[in-house]
Amino acid sequence: MNDCYVLHSIPWKETSLILDILSENDGRVAVLAKGARRPRSAFRGLLQPFHRLNIRYSPKGNLRTLISAEWDGSDNYPINGKRLLSGFYINELIMKLIQKNEICRKLFAEYEKTLITLSNSLVPEEFLLRRFEISLLLHMGVLPDFTSAAKIMDDDKIYFVTYKDGIKVLNKPKNKYDKKTKSKYSYSSDDSDQLVSLSTIRAIASYNSNLSKFLSFLSIPETALETKKLLRLLISNQLGGINLRTRKLIVDLTNFSRPKEFTND
């Protein structure tokens, strides 16, 4: 039996499902659940996202066959409302960025921890998403060394985070478009979100410390915004131009929920 979470499912033929699951032992795996859509199937209603399951499937092939599935008996942590979209967002990140059959036990543990904490409405979901994004980039081996950069305790410096060459420490310009800095590191206005403060470097470096310390850094609005923009850039670079459906949906719902301004004619 494998401890698993269903990331996504699509119908297959008349009565079956193809599941994209995250397994603690095997990483991301595609599984065919034959007959799972039949009214009397033992799998009906069971193979849902965000619930830890014990699943047994065939050991080989790009598309495994589901043999059995059951609740693992642990407590259920329901995710509701907008937080449900955040859960689907991290599911989509895994599906887009983690190769199938790539073992990722630490990422599985971080994913499970994120789901459990998402069910706690007292912890802001934005902070949880940032921590998971950092964990994902670290697992992929593409997260720059924020820990070493954070040791340069100088608020008069600013940091340019590159995709391939790590973090460059610069003298703080008068503004983010200082011509000398531009010339030396060849960035355009489109790259300005890669310029961040020491506070942002420290925030990302502290992601794996206790949650309260990480929250304390991101409670500063400027740091929270810089961190969000930077991580999204690093993730987008790995996506190679692929747009995330869940991200667009979250943005659309946020814009829809904002009060509209009315003017008198």
Side-chain angles (χ1 to χ4, degrees), residues 152-170:
I152 305 173
M153 310 284 282
D154 190 344
D155 285 319
D156 290 328
K157 301 293 184 181
I158 198 165
Y159 302 81
F160 184 70
V161 182
T162 69
Y163 297 123
K164 296 181 180 180
D165 300 323
I167 302 170
K168 306 296 184 181
V169 183
L170 318 174

Side-chain angles (χ1 to χ4, degrees), residues 220-239:
I220 304 169
E222 294 81 3
T223 301
L225 183 59
E226 275 190 354
T227 301
K228 179 177 181 177
K229 289 182 175 181
L230 176 61
L231 291 175
R232 293 293 171 86
L233 278 176
L234 295 175
I235 289 172
S236 295
N237 183 59
Q238 296 302 315
L239 288 170

Side-chain angles (χ1 to χ4, degrees), residues 78 95 108 136 144 152 188 195 202 205 221 231 260:
M95 290 188 292
F108 180 91
L136 181 60
I152 305 173
S188 66
L195 276 173
R202 287 173 177 169
L231 291 175
K260 296 181 179 179

Side-chain angles (χ1 to χ4, degrees), residues 138-203:
L138 183 64
H139 168 79
M140 296 173 65
V142 296
L143 185 73
D145 186 1
F146 286 87
T147 302
S148 296
K151 294 177 182 178
I152 305 173
M153 310 284 282
D154 190 344
D155 285 319
D156 290 328
K157 301 293 184 181
I158 198 165
Y159 302 81
F160 184 70
V161 182
T162 69
Y163 297 123
K164 296 181 180 180
D165 300 323
I167 302 170
K168 306 296 184 181
V169 183
L170 318 174
N171 291 322
K172 184 179 288 186
K174 294 179 181 179
N175 57 65
K176 284 194 174 184
Y177 306 108
D178 180 85
K179 292 183 179 180
K180 293 181 180 178
T181 307
K182 260 190 177 183
S183 175
K184 187 175 181 180
Y185 289 96
S186 301
Y187 71 89
S188 66
S189 58
D190 293 336
D191 303 322
S192 61
D193 290 334
Q194 292 172 246
L195 276 173
V196 297
S197 64
L198 177 59
S199 179
T200 297
I201 297 294
R202 287 173 177 169

Side-chain angles (χ1 to χ4, degrees), residues 2 26 29-31 56-61 63-67:
N2 296 279
D26 299 322
V29 180
V31 177
R56 189 158 63 96
Y57 45 77
S58 56
K60 296 181 180 180
L63 181 61
R64 318 288 182 93
T65 300
L66 182 65
I67 299 172

